[in-house]
Structure formats: structure tokens, C-alpha cells
Amino acid sequence: GVYELQYDGAVNVRWFGAGDVSVVADSTTAIQSAINFGKYVYIPNSTYIISNLTFLSGSGIYGESRALTILLSNTISTLPAISDKGTNLVFKHFTLQSANNEVGYGFAPYSSSTWGGNDSSVYEDLKISGFEFGMREQRTVFNKYIDMHFRQNKYSMAFTQNTGTPPFVWNNTGANGWFNNNLYFSNILLDGNDTGYCAKIIGDNITIDGIQCSNYLGYGLILGDSNYNTLGNYIINNFY
């Protein structure tokens, strides 16, 4: 008879040919194939070379550990290392690191030449380092950011209303209903040594429960600037 294997767990990227940089020169295609096949992927400990990975609604990454599962991005383009445009995305237990010095985006909801947003997503136990923007997000709703370490990014966290280059227009509602709303941040460490800012978050119903900015030569936590229209409801505990 014919047997059909039914499996609904996270897909191991090594099943599709991804591997340590010492063995596989570039794992982008293999990891993207795993994402396209199973949506949620599992990445064992190793260092993997990637350029750009695109995630759609209901997909994500489960690494084996933040310290030893490393995605090393060699992109020098405007594409983010990880495009997180969609809903119900999950990213846990890995390091995303740029192979270049302060170039491009780590996470951003940009793909197919268009900016979008994301909602109802979870980012947990991540380290993001070496990018111009560690996270460059917009139109984020009902997302959670937990146990995250940003290291040596020029701008670690940028939650903005529109696209472009700094200074952005940081609005609560903004044009076309773009906004950041109902976001939760917990145990966030932003550690740099740069003239950029630590974090800039504009929106409504924002809860920040434990955030530390360390060694930034520019600004720390920015909740508004001369361009913002309205500053929404914020709950801030344990800011260092």
C-alpha cells in the first residue's frame, strides 16, 4: 500500500539543504524553501549565511538557542534580512547578525517592493546586531517583544508611521490609517556605541515593562519628536 507521512510541526531547515557556513556557502534558498513548504521552521545550532528571508502570515522561526543559532546576513541591499510582513508571525531563540557594519535592516515589513505591517506576532529571546536598523517596523498591532538584546545597531528599534530615510514622520494614526497599537515590550536590552538612538516608539496603548539603553552616544528612549501628531497611552515600568 501507499503511506502518506503527515507532519504538522516546524520543518527542519537542514532537510532542505541548509547548513553551517563551513559547509554551505549560502543557506538562503534552502531556508526559504523550508519556509515556503512548512511555514514554521526549526533551525538547529550553527551559523548560516543568508541574504533575505520572506515570511508571510502564519510562519516563523524557532531556533535551537539564541547563543548558538546564528543567521549571518550578507545583504547590502535595501531588503531586510528578515521580511516580517503579515499576521501571526513567530520568531524565537536565535541571533540575527549583519556581516557588514551598520548596513540595512534586520527586521522590516518590506517585500515585493512594498512596505506593509504585521500584527498578532511574537518576537522572543532574540539577539539582533550590526545593522543600521535592528528593527524598522510600521503598522504593528497586538505584537509582543520579549527578552530581546540589540547590540551595535545604529538605530536599534524604530517603530514609525511611514517609509523613507530619517527623520521619519512619527505619527500615531497618520496617513492611510498607519499606526502602531497595542504593543508589549518586556526585558529589552539595547546596547550600542553609536550616534544613533536607542529606541523610538510612537503609537497608542504601548506597554514597556523593562527596557535598558546602554552605551548609546545619541538619544535613549524617544517617544515623540517635532513631527509627531499625537502621543497615545503609554505604560512604562523599569526604564534604565
Side-chain angles (χ1 to χ4, degrees), residues 121-230:
S121 299
V122 176
Y123 303 76
E124 183 175 352
D125 190 30
L126 302 177
K127 182 178 180 180
I128 303 171
S129 66
F131 294 93
E132 181 179 12
F133 288 86
M135 297 192 80
R136 159 67 177 88
E137 301 288 353
Q138 65 176 31
R139 287 189 278 178
T140 55
V141 186
F142 297 110
N143 287 354
K144 295 181 179 180
Y145 307 86
I146 303 169
D147 295 332
M148 298 183 66
H149 181 192
F150 293 80
R151 173 67 177 163
Q152 296 286 17
N153 303 286
K154 186 172 184 179
Y155 308 96
S156 283
M157 298 175 67
F159 286 72
T160 177
Q161 171 259 334
N162 69 343
T163 60
T165 55
F168 298 111
V169 180
W170 304 86
N171 294 340
N172 174 27
T173 54
N176 302 317
W178 294 7
F179 58 94
N180 301 302
N181 200 344
N182 286 286
L183 305 182
Y184 176 75
F185 300 86
S186 177
N187 194 26
I188 309 296
L189 172 61
L190 306 110
D191 183 18
N193 186 21
D194 209 312
T195 56
Y197 49 73
C198 176
K200 197 169 190 180
I201 305 168
I202 296 299
D204 198 8
N205 299 312
I206 308 297
T207 299
I208 300 173
D209 188 11
I211 185 168
Q212 178 178 348
C213 292
S214 176
N215 297 321
Y216 268 84
L217 303 180
Y219 297 100
L221 177 62
I222 303 174
L223 301 179
D225 65 12
S226 59
N227 291 317
Y228 74 78
N229 288 338
T230 57

Side-chain angles (χ1 to χ4, degrees), residues 36-57:
N36 295 344
F37 177 84
K39 293 192 176 181
Y40 292 105
V41 300
Y42 170 72
I43 304 183
N45 288 341
S46 272
T47 298
Y48 305 82
I49 296 292
I50 64 166
S51 52
N52 166 254
L53 299 175
T54 300
F55 291 82
L56 301 177
S57 295

Side-chain angles (χ1 to χ4, degrees), residues 5 7 9-18 30 34 37 42:
L5 176 63
Y7 178 76
V11 174
N12 193 321
V13 298
R14 290 190 175 175
W15 300 346
F16 290 78
F37 177 84
Y42 170 72

